[in-house]
Amino acid sequence: MITWRSITRALQRHHAPIRAQVRQLNLLEHHSHKLLREFKLPVPPGFLVTTPEQAKDVVSVINAPSMIKAQVLAGGRGKGKFNSDGKSGVRLADSPSDAFKDASNMLGYSLTTAQTPTDGLHVDKLYIYQAVSIAQEFYFAMTFDRQHNSPVVLISSSGGTNIESNVDKMHKLYFRLSTGITDEIHAYIQAELGFSDTEMKDIHRILVQMVKLFKEKDATLLELNPLVRTEEGAFICLDAKFEFDDSARYRQKGIFALEERSPEEEEEHQMAELGLSYVRLGGNIGNIVNGAGLAMATNDLIGLYGGKCANFLDVGGAATKEALRKAFGVFEKDERVKGILINIYGGIVRCDMIAEAIVAAAAEMGGFKCPVVVRLQGTNSEKGLKLIEQSGLKNLVVEGEFEKAAQMIVKLTSGG
């Protein structure tokens, strides 16, 4: 069976780069800290700022060395580089004047890390909290192991940026949400990581609250990295990463309301709100299809004739005027799109109904600003093509044969 998940995987093998169509909600660090605080997990008091002046004022109030961290949905910020001064996305400010200088070189600029696009991510928010003296960094996480059909605790004594090179030190402890952290898990962690009885009381409390949060908020990943032990012996969560089950969106409206999206992700979100599936690619031909298999075939045929797709949009059975108007609007805003191919095979959804929706949506927009080729096949296709031909809309042509339609849009977008 062909699905949009399989399409994305296939396209990722042949085109670069592509964002997976199925994705889970991630939170920015300041939202994560707020959520941890809500579940009584230890985090330092933090402040969100959007101007260098605010950064200066916050560090003045803290009156101590402070961490300044760029708020972007990407890991590796500490090893990343800003396009302003070449410095990282995590900085230590010893004074208010340092905070002002750093914030001036961070806000409004792009940060590039190993997990961002090559041109980086725009930074418009910073999170600031008092620096802590770190004695040791740990990695604590909870997720689901699909192979074992069980939630699992992942723990390592080598946390922070070193975790990826110390996977062999990771301890996996399976548990049940109904029983939580058992005495056996408690004893194993203390023996393997060498916590004292006093420290283990804090660790046990952290784990119990992690389970509570994980369960109540429908999380699929709860990662504390690093969870640090300070020089004074306290345990503090300095950074956290969350992922949540998208199917629980209706239960976790407060969590999902915090979602921040890039312009590209906003396109996907708008389409999803209309029940449409959207995948962004790297070419200049916009595509509207109905069906995953037809999408793959359209991509292959356009590629065969020398073209490249800018995206895929599967309207399925939702080819309404509103949906198509929204789709055309997204394509119009995308400066890469030089032409659009609408490739529909009518079955349950009749081609004449789709044609009416295309004409109505285009008329509402005042016509098309780029060439549009329409190919309709199936139920009432002749009637649908006739409706489009008689519409009088400019930049709109019809072609009933699949190959010719692909050749035509490639030619129209290549200037040939």
Side-chain angles (χ1 to χ4, degrees):
M1 178 180 178
I2 299 176
T3 64
W4 273 98
R5 186 189 292 263
S6 65
I7 278 184
T8 302
R9 289 173 179 168
L11 292 174
Q12 284 173 327
R13 291 194 293 269
H14 301 289
H15 302 266
I18 298 173
R19 177 181 295 103
Q21 177 68 13
V22 179
R23 63 186 180 85
Q24 294 175 308
L25 167 68
N26 293 287
L27 297 182
L28 290 172
E29 183 180 3
H30 70 97
H31 288 315
S32 297
H33 272 210
K34 184 178 180 180
L35 187 56
L36 293 175
R37 200 174 293 118
E38 178 185 336
F39 279 79
K40 297 181 173 54
L41 285 157
V43 293
F47 304 87
L48 187 70
V49 304
T50 56
T51 68
E53 291 77 15
Q54 289 175 350
K56 180 180 179 180
D57 292 342
V58 163
V59 175
S60 295
V61 171
I62 293 175
N63 195 29
S66 302
M67 299 305 302
I68 302 180
K69 305 176 80 170
Q71 295 300 282
V72 292
L73 291 173
R77 290 171 296 167
K79 294 183 178 181
K81 291 184 179 181
F82 269 94
N83 64 347
S84 53
D85 57 6
K87 295 182 180 179
S88 79
V90 177
R91 308 186 186 191
L92 176 64
D94 290 318
S95 67
S97 59
D98 285 345
F100 182 89
K101 180 179 179 181
D102 281 329
S104 297
N105 287 315
M106 298 170 79
L107 290 167
Y109 293 97
S110 294
L111 174 67
T112 302
T113 79
Q115 297 184 24
T116 67
T118 54
D119 55 350
L121 293 175
H122 182 79
V123 175
D124 58 11
K125 301 182 187 70
L126 302 174
Y127 188 55
I128 303 176
Y129 58 80
Q130 183 176 335
V132 299
S133 55
I134 300 174
Q136 187 174 0
E137 295 182 329
F138 299 90
Y139 176 91
F140 275 44
M142 286 182 184
T143 188
F144 282 103
D145 187 323
R146 302 299 178 186
Q147 290 184 335
H148 289 78
N149 194 29
S150 170
V152 59
V153 176
L154 304 172
I155 294 179
S156 174
S157 58
S158 299
T161 58
N162 298 318
I163 186 60
E164 292 184 5
S165 59
N166 288 278
V167 178
D168 57 319
K169 295 184 178 181
M170 189 82 71
H171 300 276
K172 294 185 178 182
L173 304 168
Y174 296 95
F175 68 99
R176 295 180 179 178
L177 290 176
S178 58
T179 57
I181 303 302
T182 62
D183 291 341
E184 291 77 12
I185 292 175
H186 178 106
Y188 178 91
I189 292 173
Q190 184 170 14
E192 291 296 321
L193 275 71
F195 292 122
S196 67
D197 289 343
T198 300
E199 290 173 336
M200 201 57 211
K201 289 180 181 178
D202 291 333
I203 294 297
H204 184 79
R205 184 164 53 250
I206 289 171
L207 287 168
V208 168
Q209 291 305 112
M210 285 178 69
V211 172
K212 181 177 173 63
L213 193 165
F214 190 79
K215 182 178 179 180
E216 290 186 12
K217 296 299 182 180
D218 293 296
T220 56
L221 173 67
L222 165 50
E223 181 183 79
L224 307 181
N225 186 37
L227 170 68
V228 304
R229 180 173 56 203
T230 69
E231 296 287 357
E232 297 75 28
F235 288 94
I236 299 177
C237 309
L238 290 189
D239 201 354
K241 180 179 180 180
F242 289 93
E243 291 181 359
F244 300 90
D245 185 353
D246 192 65
S247 62
R249 184 180 291 266
Y250 74 99
R251 277 201 305 264
Q252 305 295 345
K253 292 181 179 178
I255 293 289
F256 281 86
L258 301 175
E259 184 173 15
E260 298 197 24
R261 293 177 285 270
S262 68
E264 295 174 8
E265 291 170 332
E266 185 61 34
E267 293 173 0
E268 293 180 8
H269 177 71
Q270 290 178 11
M271 299 302 184
E273 289 289 296
L274 292 168
L276 311 178
S277 297
Y278 178 85
V279 175
R280 184 181 176 90
L281 302 177
N284 66 348
I285 297 174
N287 287 282
I288 298 177
V289 300
N290 66 327
L294 187 58
M296 292 294 286
T298 303
N299 176 77
D300 290 344
L301 202 55
I302 285 176
L304 178 66
Y305 290 117
K308 290 185 178 180
C309 299
N311 44 48
F312 275 125
L313 177 61
D314 180 9
V315 296
T320 63
K321 182 179 74 171
E322 180 188 3
L324 289 172
R325 182 177 54 77
K326 180 71 73 172
F328 295 145
V330 168
F331 288 167
E332 274 199 339
K333 293 176 184 177
D334 191 338
E335 295 180 354
R336 303 170 308 139
V337 175
K338 305 304 179 185
I340 301 171
L341 174 60
I342 301 175
N343 189 11
I344 302 292
Y345 186 84
I348 297 174
V349 179
R350 302 197 321 266
C351 289
D352 57 325
M353 292 177 61
I354 294 172
E356 288 173 0
I358 292 172
V359 172
E364 226 175 73
M365 296 169 53
F368 295 108
K369 296 181 180 178
C370 65
V372 177
V373 176
V374 179
R375 182 244 177 185
L376 300 177
Q377 280 292 325
T379 307
N380 289 356
S381 59
E382 291 184 5
K383 186 177 179 181
L385 291 172
K386 189 174 181 180
L387 283 170
I388 293 173
E389 287 177 335
Q390 295 175 345
S391 67
L393 290 168
K394 295 181 180 180
N395 287 330
L396 184 62
V397 295
V398 297
E399 175 52 61
E401 293 187 25
F402 192 180
E403 289 195 29
K404 288 183 179 180
Q407 285 178 306
M408 186 177 294
I409 194 62
V410 171
K411 182 178 180 180
L412 290 170
T413 53
S414 63

